[in-house]
Amino acid sequence: MSNITATTKTRTKKLFYLQAIAVLVLSTLSLLLLPHKALATAPDFTIDECSDFTTIAAAPATYQNDYILLGANNLNCAAELTAPLFSDPLTPFKGTFDGGGNTLNGLAITGTDGVGLFGFTDSATIKDLTVAGTVQGDNCVGSIVGDATNTNLEGNTSSVNITAMLNNGSGFGGIVGCYTSNGSGSFAVRTNSYSGTITKDVGVSYLYYTGGIVGFNQNYGAATVNIDNNQFSGTIDQCTYVCGGVGGEISAYDQSALTANSNTNTGTIQDSN
């Protein structure tokens, strides 16, 4: 009887170990077979067609803090993108817009102050987006963002043509028109490229602070801003006051909080005077 009992106990232990191993293997396989998005942050809203931009524009407060993904490539949204998204400075975009490496064509945006695909942003991230088309405005005009505060702009590409519509207007940038940092934290305008043309409309004599990447930048407080590894290969036509291949006016109260490294300027700056 003792041998039988010992054999039974041994078999029970082996069965227990085999069951434990089986559970571990199945758990591992289930993790490996999960969809990729389940392992990352899922978007709150995905843009699959041009009408989705109309949806956002109609209720900016609803999408203000969202993670928005551009899920379709080569959309041409000229009819839907005639005004900036988040055009009210009281309701700036504060979320993440992920271009997903996709191209958005047909921008035909016009406005006054804070003009771009996004009018106003604050503590936002916009990344991996390519845009083409036209943008026209008076002050703080850029292809991606018109007026940005504490915003990360990374890996974006633009061939948008930008036109200054107001005499003595200021802040025109290939990627962002006006950029302000304040408070604390670290922010980046990094690995963006611009190949379009920035010019002024007929009848406009002067425009101020124009840059191939950033038009006007002001850094307040302890926040750090890194303007690094950007490329300007476009044209600034008829420059009148403070123009640059990367930035028109880039300044900071604390110069140690601002870096501008490894940027490339192969573009053209034409003086109108």
Side-chain angles (χ1 to χ4, degrees):
M1 293 294 294
S2 60
N3 289 338
I4 293 174
T5 302
T7 301
T8 301
K9 289 182 178 179
T10 301
R11 288 176 177 173
T12 301
K13 287 182 179 179
K14 287 182 178 179
L15 181 60
F16 173 80
Y17 291 138
L18 288 172
Q19 288 175 334
I21 292 171
V23 169
L24 179 62
V25 170
L26 289 173
S27 298
T28 304
L29 285 174
S30 65
L31 287 174
L32 292 174
L33 293 174
L34 281 173
H36 175 70
K37 284 187 177 180
L39 299 176
T41 302
D44 298 301
F45 187 80
T46 299
I47 296 170
D48 292 316
E49 55 190 15
C50 291
S51 61
D52 292 327
F53 287 108
T54 305
T55 301
I56 295 172
T62 301
Y63 302 96
Q64 180 182 24
N65 298 295
D66 281 1
Y67 168 31
I68 301 173
L69 174 68
L70 179 61
N73 192 28
N74 285 321
L75 289 178
N76 192 319
C77 301
E80 293 78 9
L81 293 175
T82 59
L85 302 171
F86 303 94
S87 59
D88 186 346
L90 298 179
T91 315
F93 181 60
K94 297 182 177 182
T96 295
F97 188 94
D98 184 352
N102 294 315
T103 297
L104 178 61
N105 297 301
L107 272 65
I109 296 171
T110 61
T112 53
D113 298 338
V115 187
L117 176 60
F118 292 82
F120 295 88
T121 63
D122 189 347
S123 305
T125 294
I126 301 173
K127 62 180 182 177
D128 301 330
L129 172 66
T130 297
V131 290
T134 62
V135 173
Q136 300 179 344
D138 297 346
N139 295 287
C140 296
V141 183
S143 62
I144 303 291
V145 184
D147 195 327
T149 300
N150 294 350
T151 293
N152 294 304
L153 295 160
E154 301 186 67
N156 301 296
T157 301
S158 172
S159 60
V160 170
N161 292 322
I162 297 170
T163 304
M165 303 299 291
L166 176 70
N167 197 31
N168 298 321
S170 66
F172 302 89
I175 298 297
V176 54
C178 299
Y179 189 100
T180 302
S181 59
N182 54 42
S184 60
S186 180
F187 310 99
V189 179
R190 180 181 294 136
T191 62
N192 303 286
S193 64
Y194 179 70
S195 59
T197 297
I198 303 174
T199 189
K200 53 189 176 66
D201 193 32
V202 176
V204 174
S205 301
Y206 296 97
L207 66 157
Y208 297 89
Y209 308 124
T210 306
I213 301 297
V214 181
F216 178 85
N217 171 83
Q218 184 63 68
N219 186 16
Y220 300 94
T224 60
V225 178
N226 304 296
I227 304 174
D228 301 326
N229 297 295
N230 299 287
Q231 182 175 5
F232 168 60
S233 59
T235 299
I236 296 175
D237 184 30
Q238 303 180 69
C239 169
T240 54
Y241 182 79
V242 187
C243 303
V246 174
E249 172 77 5
I250 297 180
S251 61
Y253 284 104
D254 180 2
Q255 292 296 326
S256 65
L258 175 66
T259 67
N261 297 317
S262 302
N263 297 291
T264 303
N265 174 17
T266 59
T268 302
I269 301 176
Q270 300 174 351
D271 191 344
S272 65
N273 296 321

